[in-house]
Amino acid sequence: MKNSTMLNLSEQSSTSIYQYIFDLFSKLGLPAQQSHIATAAGLLLTAALLLYVLDYIMRGVFFTALNKIALRTSTKWDDYLLSNKVHIRVSRAILVLLARQLLPIVFLGFPVLTAALVKFLDLVVLLTIYHLMNSLLKTCRDIFRTSNGFKDKPIDSYLQVVQIFLIFVIGTLAVSLLTGNSPWSFLVSLGAASAILMVVFKDTILGFVASIQVSANDSVRVGDWIEMPKYGVDGDVLQINLNNVKIQNWDKTIVTIPTYTLLSDSFKNYRGMQETGGRRIKRALNIKMSSVRYLSEEEITALKNIRILSPYIDQREREIAAYNKTWNTDNSSPVNGRRMTNIGLFRAYVLAYAKNNPNIHQELTLLVRQLAPTEYGIPLELYMFTKGTQWVYFEDTMADIFDHLLAAIKHFHLQIFELPAADDLRLLVSKEEHAESSL
């Protein structure tokens, strides 16, 4: 190969196959140059036919057999191999490697062209190996997703990290192949450009670190319901990649946020609620303060007809009677001693109703509390958990409870606070007009 011309007729490292065909054409009376061209053309046609036959056998026989075997087996890993086209990548790798061995023989009489073809085919081999490794990595990802231990882990982030490393290795080998230098010298030269690489791959590096910390701290999993109002996120995590996290909101919109925001910004994760099996109800009834009063004996007797409240009333009557007797209470004024109020009995009724409700989780916090009075009345807050976490079940259960309480509160001679409505204003005007007309 010392001669730089495309044809080298004097100095050749011939092979037996090439020399045999070359001698056949020489015996036919062809000049040496034409004999080389005819030999290369014949060998190229033979190599192409061989590669075509091999590709046909693989596609028509080998792939069909693999598909039938995969359908008959109960395992999933062979299905993942086929779906990620590993068999196609293997066949292409075989064809490329075979072509890498054949073409230098075909163009043996053209050393400069052979050298260029060898470099080109070496690059194709590297690219083929990358695609094969990438398909195998995707197959491993799909297999891990079916495992309970990896189902909620950010496997896509791990895959992308390995892919980046694989691309870096293939790229280094490709540059080394093209330049003829050692891969180590290329890596040393990258040290000077590390600052630029840090800037270019800043988001990727941050995402990689965030993925590792999120996985190590188990702060977010695929399938978790998270909420980040800053980014309009309120839904389930679909995918955690190296660079971004994909969330499907409850309105079915898809939101994508950078992975490192899971570390730099705060978010709410509802996984604890889902694992507990109860969803919190925290809602208050605003009671009109002017409707709060002591109850008479007749009203208390009437309320004893409420089955779930009757035991509480009996117990309270005994406690109050004992207290008032001990302190010799003067019953001439209701504020002396202890008396039952309508809001107190209503609060006891709401608690008893919740404890007897089959849709309320009895093992979690269950209380009915009175909050500080406001300009909107006295808030009587229900703090409890439903037995299920599904949205529809939660809303139906909460609506049923408050439907019942809003209808039952009038039996305790209480009123719900409401701001003046149009009907209230009309009633007030009609009363004033009636008063003026009576005068």
Side-chain angles (χ1 to χ4, degrees):
M1 297 184 181
K2 295 179 181 179
N3 195 346
S4 61
T5 59
M6 289 296 293
L7 290 175
N8 191 342
L9 305 180
S10 57
E11 297 180 10
Q12 309 250 354
S13 59
S14 177
T15 65
S16 58
I17 298 176
Y18 188 93
Q19 189 63 44
Y20 176 77
I21 299 175
F22 177 79
D23 292 340
L24 288 178
F25 284 111
S26 298
K27 289 178 181 179
L28 295 176
L30 292 176
Q33 182 175 356
Q34 295 180 5
S35 296
H36 277 292
I37 296 175
T39 302
L43 288 175
L44 181 62
L45 181 62
T46 304
L49 183 61
L50 177 63
L51 293 175
Y52 176 78
V53 171
L54 182 60
D55 182 63
Y56 178 80
I57 293 174
M58 286 185 174
R59 292 180 179 272
V61 179
F62 184 61
F63 292 173
T64 304
L66 284 179
N67 288 325
K68 290 182 179 179
I69 294 173
L71 291 175
R72 292 179 180 177
T73 58
S74 58
T75 57
K76 290 291 184 181
W77 61 268
D78 49 359
D79 297 328
Y80 296 140
L81 286 172
L82 295 180
S83 63
N84 288 298
K85 302 180 180 179
V86 175
H87 57 303
I88 297 178
R89 305 299 186 191
V90 171
S91 67
R92 289 179 180 174
I94 293 174
L95 294 175
V96 170
L97 290 173
L98 186 59
R100 168 65 177 80
Q101 297 299 320
L102 292 177
L103 288 185
I105 299 175
V106 171
F107 296 101
L108 191 62
F110 307 86
V112 176
L113 180 61
T114 301
L117 281 175
V118 167
K119 280 193 174 183
F120 174 75
L121 289 175
D122 286 340
L123 293 175
V124 175
V125 168
L126 289 176
L127 187 62
T128 306
I129 292 175
Y130 166 74
H131 285 299
L132 175 59
M133 295 297 295
N134 195 29
S135 296
L136 290 173
L137 289 173
K138 290 181 178 179
T139 302
C140 294
R141 175 199 62 187
D142 295 338
I143 294 174
F144 286 144
R145 279 179 175 174
T146 60
S147 174
N148 293 329
F150 292 90
K151 187 176 294 183
D152 51 8
K153 296 296 187 294
I155 301 176
D156 291 311
S157 297
Y158 303 151
L159 173 65
Q160 290 177 343
V161 171
V162 178
Q163 285 177 330
I164 291 175
F165 177 76
L166 186 60
I167 291 173
F168 179 77
V169 172
I170 295 297
T172 301
L173 294 176
V175 172
S176 174
L177 183 65
L178 291 174
T179 58
N181 297 324
S182 171
W184 298 109
S185 62
F186 174 70
L187 293 176
V188 171
S189 64
L190 284 179
S194 58
I196 299 176
L197 292 176
M198 291 287 289
V199 174
V200 173
F201 296 102
K202 180 189 71 173
D203 292 341
T204 302
I205 296 171
L206 289 175
F208 173 58
V209 175
S211 297
I212 294 177
Q213 292 191 5
V214 165
S215 178
N217 299 328
D218 198 21
S219 56
V220 179
R221 301 175 186 169
V222 175
D224 283 354
W225 169 18
I226 67 171
E227 182 179 349
M228 299 180 72
K230 178 180 177 180
Y231 299 99
V233 171
D234 186 13
D236 291 335
V237 177
L238 298 180
Q239 195 177 49
I240 302 177
N241 294 326
L242 188 62
N243 294 319
N244 55 65
V245 180
K246 186 182 293 184
I247 302 102
Q248 184 177 49
N249 288 335
W250 299 120
D251 59 358
K252 301 304 178 182
T253 57
I254 303 296
V255 180
T256 302
I257 60 173
T259 306
Y260 60 81
T261 56
L262 297 177
L263 297 179
S264 60
D265 294 297
S266 61
F267 62 92
K268 184 186 292 186
N269 193 334
Y270 289 90
R271 187 203 312 159
M273 177 266 292
Q274 294 172 331
E275 292 177 346
T276 303
R279 189 166 178 177
R280 186 183 69 174
I281 296 176
K282 187 175 181 291
R283 182 180 290 184
L285 289 169
N286 290 327
I287 297 175
K288 192 175 181 180
M289 282 186 279
S290 60
S291 65
V292 177
R293 62 179 177 84
Y294 294 114
L295 291 173
S296 64
E297 294 295 333
E298 293 78 11
E299 292 170 334
I300 293 175
T301 303
L303 289 175
K304 284 185 179 180
N305 294 326
I306 302 176
R307 182 181 57 83
I308 61 175
L309 189 60
S310 180
Y312 174 81
I313 295 178
D314 292 336
Q315 179 185 353
R316 290 292 290 172
E317 282 183 331
R318 290 192 295 269
E319 292 176 358
I320 291 173
Y323 177 87
N324 291 339
K325 183 179 180 180
T326 301
W327 293 96
N328 195 19
T329 302
D330 182 9
N331 294 325
S332 61
S333 175
V335 298
N336 292 329
R338 296 173 64 179
R339 300 285 188 274
M340 279 189 275
T341 61
N342 54 358
I343 191 172
L345 284 184
F346 181 67
R347 178 166 52 85
Y349 171 75
V350 175
L351 184 60
Y353 177 77
K355 288 183 178 180
N356 286 274
N357 192 320
N359 296 322
I360 297 300
H361 206 303
Q362 303 300 318
E363 303 299 325
L364 300 178
T365 304
L366 196 162
L367 61 88
V368 180
R369 59 177 180 170
Q370 189 181 127
L371 303 181
T374 67
E375 67 273 20
Y376 300 107
I378 304 174
L380 192 67
E381 185 181 74
L382 281 69
Y383 193 102
M384 56 196 67
F385 293 80
T386 60
K387 272 192 174 179
T389 60
Q390 296 82 5
W391 189 13
V392 175
Y393 174 82
F394 168 76
E395 293 291 347
D396 286 343
T397 301
M398 184 168 58
D400 288 342
I401 291 174
F402 281 89
D403 288 348
H404 176 79
L405 296 180
L406 289 172
I409 194 170
K410 64 183 68 174
H411 296 280
F412 294 83
H413 310 285
L414 290 169
Q415 296 179 16
I416 297 295
F417 178 84
E418 293 181 284
L419 290 174
D423 292 338
D424 300 325
L425 296 178
R426 282 195 293 268
L427 181 61
L428 180 62
V429 171
S430 63
K431 286 182 178 180
E432 291 179 352
E433 291 177 349
H434 178 71
E436 290 177 356
S437 61
S438 63
L439 295 175

